[in-house]
Amino acid sequence: MSTGGQNGIEAKSAPGDAATLRAPSFPVSHLGFLALSIVAVFLAATMPFDGYVLNILMQAATYAIAVFGLSVVLGLCGQINLAQAAFFGFGAYAVGIGTADYHVSFWLCLALGMVVALGAGAMLGLTTLKLGGHYLAMVTISFQQIVTLVMTNAISFTHGPDGVSHIERPSILSSQQAYLAFCVAALAFVGYLVWQLPQSRLGRAMRAVRDNELAAGVAGIDVYRTKVYAFAICALLGALGGGLFAGGFAYISPDQFSFAESIIFLTMALLGGIASPIGSVIGTGFLILIPEWLRFLKSIPGLYLALYGLAVILIVLFMPDGIWGFISSIIDRFRAKPAPQAAGDLVLQPGQRGGETVLEVNGLAKHFGGLKAVDGVDIAVRRASVHALIGPNGSGKTTILNVLSGIYGATAGTIRLDGADITRAPTHIRSIAGLGRTFQNIRLFRTMTALENVVIGAERRGNELVDGSAQALEKRALAALAFVGLKGREQELITSFSYGHQRLIEIARALAANPVLLLLDEPAAGLNSSEKLELHALLKRIAAQGLTILIIDHDMTLVSEAASHITVLNFGKRIADGESVGVLNHPDVISAYLGSDD
Amino acid sequence: METGKGLEVRNLSVRYGEIEALRGISFTVAPGEVVTLLGANGAGKSTTLRAISGLERPAGGDILFEGQSIAGLNSEQIVRRGISHVPERRRIFPGLTVKENIMLCGSNRRASKPELASETEAMFDLFPEIRPFRDALGWTLSGGQQQMVAVARGLMAKPRLLLLDEPSLGLAPLIVKAVFAIIAEIRRRGTTVLLVEQNARVGLSVADRGYVLETGTLVLGGKPDDLWNNDAIRAAYLGGAKAKGHALAEQA
Amino acid sequence: MTLTRRQFGAGIAAGVALETISTRSFAQGATIKIGMVVPVTGPAAESGKYALNGAKLAQDAVNKAGGVLGKPIELVVEDDLTTNPGAVLAFSKLAAQQDIVAFLGSIRSTQVHAMAPDILKTAKPVMFGGTDVALTKLGNPWLFRFRPNDSYSAKVISAYGAETLGKKKWAIIHSTDAFGSGGAKALTASLEALKITPVLDQGYPNQSQDFTPVVLAIKQSGADIIGSYFTFENDIAIFARQLRQLGVNIAWVGSPSITVATAVKLAGPALYGTYGVADFAEESSPEAKAYSKLYRDTYKVNPDNYSSWTYDAITVLSMAMNTAKSTEPEKIRQAIIATKNHKGVEGTYNFDANGDGLHGYNIVRNENGNIVFDKHIDFES
Amino acid sequence: MDLVLQLLFTGIGIGAVYALVALGFVLIFRATNVVNFAQGEFSMVAAFLMVVFAVDLGWPYWAAFLVSLAGMAILGVIFNLGVYYPLRHRTYLPVIISTIGASILMANLTLALYGPQPQVLQGWFETQGIQLGPVFLDSQYLLIIATTCVLVAFQYWFFEHTMLGKKLQATSQDKEMASLLGIPVVGMIMLTFVYSAILGGIAGILVAPILFVSIQMGSTIALKAFAATIIGGFGDVAGAIIGGLALGIIETFGAAYVSVPYKDGFAFLMLVLFLAFRPQGIFGERVAEKA
């Protein structure tokens, strides 16, 4: 399975998401949320609902909590989970069996169910190490099917298909309305957490993984662990919803937690818009209500489920970001841009452990089957220098960069960064060790703002210049953006920036991490001449701060003027190495580029 | 150049989202000519070929082939008009045999299976090096062999214009020589060729004329020798003085 | 038809007293509304259609005979999607309509279980067809069963097989769902009462595509009779065919699904000669005969137990309301409980305090595709 | 021993059904990189078409068969245009959802049009089967096994020895390159869907006399076929066949010797084991990722 950057869901998502989800700068909306929650809970507790409406609302509230879980794993982290009904069932069965058979406290059962689901979810998440896409989908389906089989057949424990009846709930919540109010309160609480999650370190990591796994790894995020967390949280919320559901309906049976239900959860998440908890609530509400509204079509059996299937197709075709994505994009047009924030100066103080040589590459080789893309290359990059790596197309430059940053494993050779051997270290560990890089085809987190992208860079573990507080991270990110010349545009989404500016943001992201060594992979590719001049000036400013740079580029003007030292590759081998001017006049280099005379 | 013959690119521009890959270039390729497009990586050479063969939609300008506009047609229609594109990195079908790879390109015209088979045999005469591998799967071949299969496949369409994108890419010098010997042979047989090369020396060695592209703009054009001796070409590849200011030589 | 007219003679008389109609009935009080939860979609959609057929026949009969308390009755149908949450929502939707006086629940036990908490809250009578013994022992006074429960089907199967047919080596085949495993449990218990231990107890999952391993297990067990609880008709038909193909021709007494029209049609000759317990058997009584003729005339298919219980339920419910002269839930409840010796199409109803109306089963035989009544076995409640 | 042989025959028979449906999965996956979650519904729809033509309208069996398959071809076209084609440039997730939506739509539209009753469709043969010593060979299973063999042979011939087959292969390996060679890529994908729908249809019509014709007949088979596809290795025709047969046999023997109620679990357990330890399936990828 490909583990490329576009693995997972659509890279483009609701344009409004990042803006609407930005909480820290809008304290008012916190209060607004609180007020709305209180009103909702109050209404749930006091409105004279009849039994039908109560049941519908109870179902919607508990399902929505489970759908929040999907919005985390699918919306935030971009991983598919077709077993949410199984996790929902874990919670429901824990509460059901626990209260009905063993008369254990409701709360204890709920907690137990959530813990079990958390474990199972993490286990399912572990399979993402090897699998993605359809395979992951299939693993989750299998898990779902096995759970259903156990629920049906382990009769002595689960009561089998009879289901569990006489499920108890806490005595203070014994009335339907009180219980509904409690569910709504839980929904609001979980909704708040899910709403805030994207702004947390973990949430940002998930979004980064969703938007671009490669870049996330390079930015110091442990991609694999992030996915496991996402699955675990998803399962946890599924179990919470299920536990509350069991308490609300007092009876559960295996068919309520089948694969078909998982599909319904997924559709709920997609319909509303996977990237936002508001979308989850909308989607859940719709999918619970629509079949109810369409009951009038019942004279012809199957007709309304057929329409439901049709609706699913139409939503996917015409509303890829779901209902909320559609609405928020409209709201977004009328939203005032937030005021630019004050930015300080960017300080680059790379720590120093090793000696004069920051990067020492010895005998590095990378073979793809019989193809020797890189074949025994030595590179030594001196501290505080600008070092260029050049060579014609297909000479192995980008392969070296990918081996250096851990995207490919080396076939042979060693890599030492600032004195430490990083030859076998995973991508994010290299980043923690101080390696920053940019990509030839820009790899930004496309659903986030410029600021958020750079904050992820600043968050790098091992960055001693920030203490990890939100203010410090933001301050450093603002400084980095100002440093590359994008002051005042921090809150704009990546998609609203020109290609050249996106490159600058990528560099800012790397700089904010305060790296020991900055790898630039063809930073000038696709830039027009004025942008190239800007880039050149930026490189000078970076070098002036003493940061070591290793640059790959085809623009020889840029390379010859910026770099003090050049290594030239051809056919995966080093053909020249030395001071810039001398190297560029080397006959082998000229013939490699222009063709040999013979 | 007389109208109604060869290829004429008029003020062509192509965008990839934000990036303007081609910024209004114009050039011609006369029937029977070999024209080479030179330039550094990212200059827009491949994009030019992709626009001509219908893989990219032009954002502006026009492309005329034998007097008719082909801009906006899809690649299946364009190959039927007689333009065959051998793309960068060869793109051999990895799961098909060499023979099948070559035969497939005949599918743009009405030819019976025996006809195609005998034409494929003729291709092996032109490329004797790959004959022993006729039943090997595409992915098992070396780069040079793949390049030959790719060119043979392109020729099977019986094109009046052959687009070749970086045939020397990643090949050892000896193999490059062999490939270019074949291009010279193709030229001798009268097929018009538009060649994209990064290796300027080799690219110009078979060409009647050449153009130099820099960041989506044609900066230079002319006879191979003139180009080779022009400092601008060195600048385009190895940096230094900009090639700007050199007038684009208009063809008679 | 004559039968039903006679039944409702009393009803017409009661209907004269129009003023006595409960003030509980609201604005659109022109009809007496009866809610019905039924699978219109999902895997059980087919049985839902039959259930509706039976209920409609009863509705027409009641209305022709003068209705209830002088008003026609009206069915308000909600789809349960063949799922438990669907049943709960369907019921609560009906329960929210204040002018519905009573309900018809499901023939599926799990659905009745699922609805039970809501039924208790709604506090109106619910007629249902699920046969899980436990349902009428939940302490829920509003549940009334219109089919004999599983303890009776098991008793009848074991009694017929062991005593009438004289077979001692039993293989019990059952679906692993609530109905199947519940039935198997009851059958094992009633065989034990006859001092018989089954040689095989084999469950299978619903919608199995292949029963070869099950059939081979029967073959190996050396059983001389099969007692079965199948849920879905296509399962029973596939099993029957493979059973015969692999040369097993021992006696077979099955739960009611073996007698329903779809199973008989699907399985064809494979089910010839088998016995089944049937809450409904055409030849079992004059009432059942009359009903069968009416049903066949109306719908052009053979009647089965999916429709007969709803027919009886509507009939008894209407009768109870007429007897009680009220639509007060408690009064209806009392009147249903008081129903004794009512000859319905399923059998003779003698309601006990639990809400069970029937206490025995018919034994029927499949003779070349025709379901033939063999005998009726009743137990004391 | 008798027992083993009988189980083996049934296992192969049911496995052949999985294999037929799995073939359809593989074809669409190879052409479009998409898993069609509605593949099982193709079988269901075809079986219902058969009931309409052969039973309700009383046409000759062969005529009904041909017309039903023609109907499937049309369904394949509609499916491609409505469910896949508009999403061809999006990632796999929207396409999965869209095919799931299509499966709900097809199942319930059939329910709305035809009603919920399971239907009987007679097999091709009058006789039920052959008693071969201790083993009973069901004629319909024999037909299914034979058809699977024929279709595999046909598929081999088609893909290895016809230009059209080669064009389809080229399309699935590199769409852009195929279009540069003048291969009508859109048409090739359309053809793939049509052929897959017909394959699914044949599976459905063949299995109908055994499992009867019901709305949910497709989804039960399709999930297993899906598992078979993964066991065999996605994108490999031979793998799908082996995977299907293996699954049928394991399931049958597992049910006989381990547990009948957990029968369905074996398929998914095997699938998880395969995904954990050999995600490339039995045969692995035929075509190396890096050419």
Side-chain angles (χ1 to χ4, degrees):
Chain A
M1 228 41 225
S2 146
T3 47
Q6 300 306 309
N7 190 3
I9 55 146
E10 309 278 89
K12 75 176 183 70
S13 173
D17 287 348
T20 34
L21 293 178
R22 275 202 55 77
S25 52
F26 294 100
V28 180
S29 59
H30 287 254
L31 291 177
F33 187 91
L34 186 66
L36 197 72
S37 308
I38 291 172
V39 170
V41 173
F42 179 75
L43 286 179
T46 55
M47 284 283 283
F49 294 126
D50 63 43
Y52 172 65
V53 176
L54 266 176
N55 277 335
I56 288 267
L57 290 178
M58 191 111 74
Q59 197 185 351
T62 53
Y63 271 47
I65 292 175
V67 175
F68 281 162
L70 278 182
S71 88
V72 171
V73 80
L74 187 66
L76 276 185
C77 202
Q79 306 299 307
I80 193 165
N81 174 8
L82 291 170
Q84 188 66 340
F87 295 121
F88 196 67
F90 278 19
Y93 267 86
V95 167
I97 296 171
T99 62
D101 293 355
Y102 300 100
H103 304 286
V104 183
S105 139
F106 174 86
W107 305 111
L108 196 63
C109 296
L110 189 62
L112 192 71
M114 287 165 70
V115 169
V116 172
L118 185 80
M123 213 180 69
L124 204 56
L126 290 177
T127 62
T128 58
L129 177 64
K130 281 188 175 177
L131 307 164
H134 300 106
Y135 290 87
L136 182 59
M138 203 58 223
V139 170
T140 59
I141 292 177
S142 304
F143 176 77
Q144 165 75 59
Q145 298 286 359
I146 290 171
V147 169
T148 307
L149 278 171
V150 171
M151 282 176 184
T152 315
N153 290 308
I155 294 172
S156 58
F157 182 60
T158 63
H159 299 251
D162 281 344
V164 184
S165 48
H166 299 290
I167 297 170
E168 292 159 19
R169 60 167 90 135
S171 49
I172 51 160
L173 299 173
S174 60
S175 94
Q176 282 292 91
Q177 269 224 258
Y179 193 80
L180 176 68
F182 169 67
C183 289
V184 172
L187 177 74
F189 177 68
V190 175
Y192 182 75
L193 293 182
V194 175
W195 181 39
Q196 291 302 310
L197 183 63
Q199 269 65 52
S200 71
R201 184 184 186 107
L202 178 63
R204 265 193 299 271
M206 288 179 183
R207 292 157 70 199
V209 167
R210 171 195 62 189
D211 282 2
N212 204 313
E213 276 187 30
L214 270 183
V218 165
I221 292 166
D222 186 339
V223 173
Y224 182 39
R225 181 181 300 191
T226 305
K227 287 185 191 171
V228 172
Y229 283 161
F231 266 94
I233 291 174
C234 173
L236 184 80
L237 295 183
L240 175 61
L244 294 177
F245 174 85
F249 284 83
Y251 173 83
I252 51 170
S253 59
D255 53 348
Q256 292 163 326
F257 313 107
S258 64
F259 175 54
E261 291 294 310
S262 278
I263 296 297
I264 290 175
F265 279 125
L266 182 72
T267 317
M268 286 171 174
L270 287 166
L271 177 65
I274 38 172
S276 137
I278 303 173
S280 301
V281 173
I282 294 175
T284 311
F286 257 94
L287 276 199
I288 287 180
L289 287 177
I290 286 173
E292 299 298 319
W293 291 337
L294 294 181
R295 274 177 193 265
F296 69 89
L297 295 170
K298 67 200 163 197
S299 54
I300 303 169
L303 191 59
Y304 75 74
L305 276 176
L307 287 176
Y308 168 88
L310 186 65
V312 169
I313 300 175
L314 293 178
I315 289 163
V316 174
L317 292 188
F318 299 111
M319 267 202 291
D321 300 323
I323 296 171
W324 180 244
F326 184 71
I327 297 172
S328 61
S329 69
I330 293 172
I331 295 175
D332 223 46
R333 279 182 219 153
F334 301 102
R335 186 189 289 273
K337 288 266 188 293
Q341 282 145 289
D345 289 335
L346 181 71
V347 184
L348 295 170
Q349 268 178 1
Q352 185 167 347
R353 288 186 300 271
E356 255 310 282
T357 310
V358 172
L359 179 74
E360 195 179 347
V361 173
N362 279 317
L364 190 71
K366 176 64 194 171
H367 299 174
F368 297 104
L371 177 70
K372 292 176 179 174
V374 177
D375 199 16
V377 170
D378 299 338
I379 304 168
V381 179
R382 275 185 297 115
R383 192 171 299 280
S385 71
V386 176
H387 190 124
L389 186 64
I390 65 169
N393 248 358
S395 59
K397 305 180 302 286
T398 296
T399 307
I400 287 192
L401 230 59
N402 284 337
V403 174
L404 287 182
S405 53
I407 292 165
Y408 296 151
T411 309
T414 57
I415 307 164
R416 299 180 73 81
L417 178 69
D418 208 10
D421 188 340
I422 56 164
T423 315
R424 301 269 166 255
T427 308
H428 65 278
I429 298 292
R430 295 179 198 225
S431 162
I432 293 168
L435 195 72
R437 80 167 275 188
T438 66
F439 291 88
Q440 183 178 348
N441 17 6
I442 298 171
R443 291 182 179 272
L444 285 167
F445 308 122
R446 300 191 66 81
T447 61
M448 302 189 208
T449 62
L451 185 64
E452 287 173 311
N453 265 277
V454 181
V455 164
I456 286 177
E459 242 171 352
R460 171 181 80 93
R461 284 175 216 276
N463 181 359
E464 288 138 14
L465 294 180
V466 288
D467 56 11
S469 72
Q471 291 86 345
L473 287 171
E474 196 154 309
K475 204 173 140 215
R476 178 154 183 90
L478 288 169
L481 281 168
F483 185 80
V484 299
L486 291 174
K487 191 166 155 42
R489 299 189 60 189
E490 297 89 356
Q491 300 293 358
E492 290 178 36
L493 276 178
I494 291 304
T495 42
S496 66
F497 286 91
S498 73
Y499 189 77
H501 285 162
Q502 291 187 14
R503 279 225 177 277
L504 296 179
I505 295 170
E506 212 187 11
I507 293 172
R509 184 175 68 192
L511 289 179
N514 192 36
V516 175
L517 172 70
L518 179 61
L519 303 179
L520 298 173
D521 188 359
E522 305 218 13
L527 300 191
N528 61 33
S529 33
S530 66
E531 287 170 334
K532 277 186 186 171
L533 288 177
E534 277 175 42
L535 177 71
H536 194 165
L538 174 63
L539 290 182
K540 275 187 184 155
R541 273 185 284 142
I542 297 172
Q545 290 233 21
L547 177 62
T548 319
I549 298 177
L550 177 61
I551 182 174
I552 288 182
D553 210 281
H554 277 94
D555 188 315
M556 288 306 147
T557 316
L558 179 77
V559 165
S560 56
E561 287 174 15
S564 55
H565 195 106
I566 296 180
T567 302
V568 189
L569 295 178
N570 204 11
F571 298 111
K573 288 192 158 65
R574 194 173 86 173
I575 58 167
D577 184 68
E579 295 295 319
S580 305
V581 186
V583 165
L584 285 180
N585 288 325
H586 194 290
D588 286 353
V589 174
I590 292 172
S591 78
Y593 269 89
L594 297 177
S596 51
D597 277 322
D598 53 20
Chain B
M1 184 187 122
E2 49 182 308
T3 49
K5 293 279 163 116
L7 179 76
E8 187 180 356
V9 172
R10 285 184 189 159
N11 204 23
L12 177 68
S13 58
V14 174
R15 302 184 69 90
Y16 295 115
E18 277 290 330
I19 318 167
E20 206 169 6
L22 289 180
R23 302 156 196 247
I25 61 165
S26 302
F27 65 92
T28 57
V29 183
E33 250 192 335
V34 174
V35 171
T36 302
L37 286 180
L38 300 170
N41 202 30
K45 304 183 304 283
S46 293
T47 305
T48 309
L49 294 197
R50 289 172 65 85
I52 295 169
S53 69
L55 292 178
E56 307 294 345
R57 300 220 158 229
D62 202 358
I63 304 165
L64 297 156
F65 180 60
E66 296 175 345
Q68 285 179 312
S69 171
I70 56 167
L73 295 183
N74 67 35
S75 34
E76 295 148 36
Q77 294 165 321
I78 288 172
V79 67
R80 286 195 182 85
R81 301 271 179 110
I83 299 180
S84 185
H85 182 177
V86 178
E88 200 179 7
R89 292 177 198 282
R90 341 219 220 264
R91 307 278 282 270
I92 298 300
F93 296 112
L96 296 181
T97 65
V98 167
K99 195 176 139 198
E100 289 163 357
N101 262 289
I102 295 175
M103 253 168 101
L104 267 182
C105 199
S107 53
N108 71 319
R109 51 202 166 83
R110 298 213 168 275
S112 71
K113 216 179 154 194
E115 270 170 9
L116 287 177
S118 71
E119 284 176 27
T120 305
E121 282 306 312
M123 279 302 152
F124 286 131
D125 294 339
L126 188 60
F127 300 89
E129 294 94 331
I130 53 174
R131 191 192 291 276
F133 303 99
R134 49 186 299 155
D135 292 321
L137 288 183
W139 67 273
T140 61
L141 268 61
S142 73
Q145 291 162 344
Q146 289 195 6
Q147 187 62 61
M148 298 198 185
V149 174
V151 174
R153 184 174 62 182
L155 287 175
M156 273 294 280
K158 302 219 158 157
R160 292 186 294 285
L161 171 63
L162 184 67
L163 310 177
L164 281 175
D165 197 348
E166 302 240 12
S168 74
L169 185 72
L171 301 185
L174 220 61
I175 315 272
V176 173
K177 252 183 177 174
V179 169
F180 274 82
I182 289 162
I183 296 172
E185 169 67 18
I186 294 166
R187 176 195 183 185
R188 202 182 55 75
R189 294 181 176 201
T191 305
T192 314
V193 178
L194 178 57
L195 176 68
V196 156
E197 253 308 333
Q198 191 177 245
N199 188 327
R201 163 69 57 165
V202 175
L204 290 174
S205 70
V206 292
D208 295 302
R209 288 186 298 118
Y211 294 94
V212 178
L213 266 169
E214 205 179 307
T215 46
T217 319
L218 276 183
V219 290
L220 204 59
K223 297 277 177 208
D225 289 347
D226 299 343
L227 283 176
W228 186 242
N229 295 322
N230 192 319
D231 281 344
I233 190 165
R234 215 162 267 253
Y237 281 91
L238 293 177
K242 286 279 166 195
K244 299 258 163 64
H246 292 275
L248 188 61
E250 202 48 61
Q251 300 305 301
Chain C
M1 281 309 292
T2 49
L3 177 90
T4 40
R5 282 214 187 93
R6 195 175 63 228
Q7 269 182 335
F8 284 95
I12 300 166
V16 181
L18 275 171
E19 298 91 327
T20 63
I21 292 171
S22 159
T23 46
R24 282 175 63 107
S25 50
F26 283 40
Q28 323 150 309
T31 57
I32 302 275
K33 288 187 178 168
I34 298 171
M36 187 168 176
V37 175
V38 81
V40 180
T41 55
E46 184 205 4
S47 64
K49 197 172 127 185
Y50 296 150
L52 210 50
N53 282 349
K56 278 184 183 152
L57 277 186
Q59 178 195 7
D60 292 347
V62 169
N63 289 343
K64 254 185 208 161
V68 169
L69 307 177
K71 293 181 180 181
I73 57 171
E74 183 190 340
L75 289 172
V76 186
V77 179
E78 276 301 329
D79 181 10
D80 67 21
L81 314 167
T82 322
T83 66
N84 293 347
V88 172
L89 286 182
F91 179 78
S92 57
K93 183 165 191 188
L94 290 172
Q97 303 181 38
Q98 297 293 328
D99 54 346
I100 292 181
V101 298
F103 307 86
L104 260 63
S106 173
I107 196 167
R108 298 180 76 205
S109 294
T110 61
Q111 292 189 334
V112 183
H113 272 295
M115 290 186 280
D118 276 328
I119 293 173
L120 198 57
K121 266 174 255 152
T122 308
K124 286 180 185 172
V126 176
M127 328 288 123
F128 72 94
T131 52
D132 181 1
V133 184
L135 280 169
T136 44
K137 293 179 179 157
L138 293 172
N140 189 334
W142 303 103
L143 290 172
F144 300 94
R145 186 177 349 236
F146 280 77
R147 292 174 63 213
N149 70 40
D150 286 335
S151 71
Y152 297 110
S153 71
K155 277 182 192 167
V156 171
I157 290 173
S158 56
Y160 192 81
E163 287 159 8
T164 313
L165 300 176
K167 307 286 185 188
K168 304 291 177 211
K169 292 165 83 180
W170 284 71
I172 301 174
I173 310 299
H174 63 92
S175 65
T176 49
D177 65 7
F179 161 77
S181 25
K185 218 186 297 169
L187 182 54
T188 311
S190 46
L191 282 172
E192 252 158 35
L194 300 170
K195 306 238 171 336
I196 296 173
T197 311
V199 294
L200 179 72
D201 183 338
Q202 181 68 70
Y204 71 89
N206 280 331
Q207 307 294 345
S208 280
Q209 294 120 18
D210 176 56
F211 285 89
T212 312
V214 177
V215 173
L216 294 176
I218 295 171
K219 235 178 169 176
Q220 287 194 313
S221 70
D224 58 8
I225 184 165
I226 297 168
S228 73
Y229 281 88
F230 275 81
T231 307
F232 288 102
E233 291 80 10
N234 37 355
D235 279 334
I236 202 169
I238 296 171
F239 172 72
R241 277 204 192 171
Q242 293 190 323
L243 191 71
R244 301 313 184 208
Q245 284 180 353
L246 298 178
V248 180
N249 287 304
I250 57 178
W252 179 1
V253 188
S255 69
S257 57
I258 201 171
T259 67
V260 300
T262 312
V264 171
K265 182 183 94 178
L266 291 180
L271 279 180
Y272 292 178
T274 59
Y275 299 92
V277 297
D279 33 337
F280 173 74
E282 192 171 341
E283 303 293 325
S284 63
S285 67
E287 290 82 5
K289 262 186 208 161
Y291 169 74
S292 299
K293 183 178 179 305
L294 175 64
Y295 189 93
R296 209 174 281 121
D297 289 347
T298 315
Y299 300 111
K300 313 295 176 219
V301 284
N302 288 327
D304 58 27
N305 65 345
Y306 287 126
S307 69
S308 57
W309 82 267
T310 55
Y311 181 88
D312 279 350
I314 296 283
T315 311
V316 171
L317 176 64
S318 306
M319 226 167 65
M321 286 190 280
N322 279 330
T323 314
K325 299 193 173 54
S326 165
T327 56
E328 292 279 353
E330 181 55 28
K331 288 189 177 151
I332 302 176
R333 196 183 85 81
Q334 296 292 351
I336 298 175
I337 292 286
T339 306
K340 301 285 179 202
N341 206 24
H342 164 71
K343 293 195 187 309
V345 300
E346 290 233 327
T348 306
Y349 287 84
N350 286 299
F351 274 91
D352 59 20
N354 292 332
D356 269 312
L358 295 169
H359 306 278
Y361 263 103
N362 304 305
I363 283 281
V364 295
R365 197 173 65 249
N366 182 325
E367 257 177 25
N368 300 326
N370 296 313
I371 296 297
V372 182
F373 174 70
D374 194 299
K375 67 192 274 192
H376 187 87
I377 302 179
D378 247 335
F379 295 87
E380 290 302 307
S381 59
Chain D
M1 194 58 209
D2 300 352
L3 184 72
V4 172
L5 286 176
Q6 186 67 55
L7 287 172
L8 191 64
F9 175 75
T10 317
I12 292 173
I14 204 97
V17 177
Y18 298 157
L20 269 185
V21 178
L23 267 186
F25 271 126
V26 168
L27 283 176
I28 290 187
F29 184 79
R30 291 213 327 188
T32 63
N33 268 320
V34 160
V35 172
N36 176 17
F37 280 80
Q39 187 70 23
E41 270 60 40
F42 285 154
S43 302
M44 183 270 300
V45 170
F48 268 97
L49 287 178
M50 238 356 234
V51 169
V52 170
F53 296 125
V55 181
D56 298 349
L57 299 178
W59 292 3
Y61 209 83
W62 60 268
F65 181 73
L66 291 180
V67 173
S68 297
L69 291 191
M72 292 318 292
I74 295 168
L75 184 64
V77 172
I78 296 171
F79 190 89
N80 179 30
L81 292 180
V83 180
Y84 168 72
Y85 191 73
L87 297 171
R88 66 196 180 285
H89 297 308
R90 308 258 297 270
T91 55
Y92 72 96
L93 192 60
V95 188
I96 289 184
I97 309 289
S98 165
T99 59
I100 288 172
S103 101
I104 299 174
L105 174 64
M106 284 201 264
N108 286 285
L109 201 59
T110 311
L111 178 65
L113 293 175
Y114 206 83
Q117 297 90 340
Q119 300 293 320
V120 182
L121 179 68
Q122 293 307 319
W124 286 92
F125 303 113
E126 292 287 317
T127 50
Q128 286 217 341
I130 311 159
Q131 190 72 40
L132 196 72
V135 182
F136 181 84
L137 305 178
D138 185 309
S139 55
Q140 195 66 26
Y141 271 134
L142 285 176
L143 179 65
I144 289 171
I145 295 168
T147 310
T148 307
C149 292
V150 169
L151 280 174
V152 169
F154 169 76
Q155 199 138 317
Y156 175 79
W157 170 80
F158 179 71
F159 277 104
E160 296 305 321
H161 294 282
T162 68
M163 277 311 278
L164 191 56
K166 293 296 164 195
K167 285 183 195 175
L168 280 170
Q169 281 195 58
T171 305
S172 72
Q173 286 167 26
D174 188 339
K175 289 185 193 50
E176 195 176 87
M177 191 61 229
S179 75
L180 280 181
L181 300 187
I183 296 170
V185 169
V186 174
M188 291 294 128
I189 289 172
M190 177 74 83
L191 192 65
T192 308
F193 274 95
V194 167
Y195 184 48
S196 290
I198 290 177
L199 264 186
I202 292 175
I205 292 169
L206 285 177
V207 86
I210 297 174
L211 300 186
F212 306 107
V213 181
S214 64
I215 303 293
Q216 55 275 13
M217 67 181 282
S219 53
T220 29
I221 307 171
L223 259 180
K224 303 283 182 61
F226 198 171
T229 316
I230 286 190
I231 291 167
F234 244 108
D236 190 284
V237 171
I241 307 291
I242 306 277
L245 292 178
L247 198 60
I249 292 168
I250 286 167
E251 214 177 78
T252 312
F253 278 87
Y257 292 106
V258 185
S259 159
V260 174
Y262 282 101
K263 193 176 91 169
D264 295 340
F266 301 126
F268 297 108
L269 198 65
M270 245 183 94
L271 187 143
V272 170
L273 290 178
F274 257 91
L275 285 175
F277 298 108
R278 202 177 156 76
Q280 70 273 40
I282 296 173
F283 292 103
E285 303 280 331
R286 194 163 77 108
V287 175
E289 200 52 48
K290 183 108 188 164

